[in-house]
Amino acid sequence: MRIGELATKAGVSVRALRYYEEQGLLTAARSSGGQRHYLDDAVDRVYLIQMLYAAGLSSRTILDLLPCVDAKVNTPQSRAMLRAERDRIDRQITQLRQARKRLDEVIALSESPASGCTRADTDAAVA
Amino acid sequence: MRIGELATKAGVSVRALRYYEEQGLLTAARSSGGQRHYLDDAVDRVYLIQMLYAAGLSSRTILDLLPCVDAKVNTPQSRAMLRAERDRIDRQITQLRQARKRLDEVIALSESPASGCTRADTDAAVA
DNA sequence: GTAAAACCTGACGTTCACGTGAGGGAAAAG
DNA sequence: CTTTTCCCTCACGTGAACGTCAGGTTTTAC
């Protein structure tokens, strides 16, 4: 498939795919005319990349991790890196939970009929 | 306390504190000479700001939320905003869990003596 | 009273993951 | 064969959260 189709299937922009290639995260065969051609499994690869981006990893880190995911590299260093990133994600989840908890407290307060309700509540809620 | 002390206590840079003020997230009294002076509770306020930044909120969103946290604003809109942000954090946690799971799978594979270990494992692990 | 810290206001620089044209070929459709 | 449609490579723009340097003032220490 060509880049437009992959972009649609993977739910990202064409520009993003070119960027991934530029970062070494995604490779493509080229037609005689220079156009990129991808195999079907490129869709999953893009999903994975997106997932790692969403987890807060940088292009560089993803670039280091992908060979491990592909099971092409498996050294003590690579395993340490994997664990380090997993731990980073764990810490990030912990932070998010804290923030969530904090917001929940505020929400609970704001929804209880106690404390300083600006009374815009009971008034405007029906109107 | 002055800005340097607050920066140290809160574990952020002086520049960051000035930036927070610029964004309306943090206010300070001024000395006759124009220097910022903070109360002790500013430390907690900075912690909170950092927590919300870490949760992926933008300055603008934090600016909108802070009055709610301070219980100074409590309208149907503000409560909806709080819930929206909490839900966003929930979705982000879900994504992080997925990424973590994926990494865990890779780690499990790389640490099991099966599959394509590059053998750098059993060799160099002792050396 | 003077020198060293610490602070002030601009204002430009940085990084990241792309967005967005510009100008020009390649490929599928008629 | 021509017309769309898709694709190509530069290459500059963007937004967010600061970093950093310049040039000057205020506070603190001796």
Side-chain angles (χ1 to χ4, degrees), chain B residues 13-63:
Chain B
S13 70
V14 168
R15 177 67 172 96
L17 295 179
R18 295 206 187 100
Y19 177 75
Y20 298 162
E21 182 175 320
E22 196 181 315
Q23 300 300 307
L25 308 179
L26 190 63
T27 57
R30 295 297 185 119
S31 74
S32 58
Q35 300 203 350
R36 292 169 180 84
H37 282 267
Y38 300 92
L39 300 177
D40 287 1
D41 60 3
V43 179
D44 287 337
R45 163 66 51 138
V46 174
Y47 282 152
L48 174 60
I49 293 174
Q50 287 280 103
M51 170 181 283
L52 295 177
Y53 272 133
L57 308 200
S58 67
S59 291
R60 176 67 220 206
T61 306
I62 296 177
L63 180 61

Side-chain angles (χ1 to χ4, degrees), chain B residues 33 39 64 83 85 95 106 126:
Chain B
L39 300 177
D64 292 339
R83 284 191 296 264
E85 284 309 316
Q95 284 195 4
V106 175
V126 189

Side-chain angles (χ1 to χ4, degrees), chain A residues 1-46:
Chain A
M1 73 178 78
R2 291 191 296 168
I3 199 170
E5 192 180 346
L6 177 58
T8 301
K9 283 186 178 173
V12 302
S13 70
V14 168
R15 177 67 173 99
L17 294 179
R18 294 206 187 100
Y19 178 75
Y20 299 161
E21 182 174 318
E22 195 181 316
Q23 301 300 308
L25 308 179
L26 190 63
T27 57
R30 296 296 185 120
S31 73
S32 58
Q35 300 203 350
R36 292 169 180 85
H37 283 266
Y38 301 92
L39 299 177
D40 287 2
D41 60 4
V43 179
D44 287 338
R45 162 66 50 138
V46 174

Side-chain angles (χ1 to χ4, degrees), chain A residues 41-54:
Chain A
D41 60 4
V43 179
D44 287 338
R45 162 66 50 138
V46 174
Y47 283 152
L48 174 59
I49 294 174
Q50 286 282 104
M51 170 181 283
L52 295 178
Y53 272 133

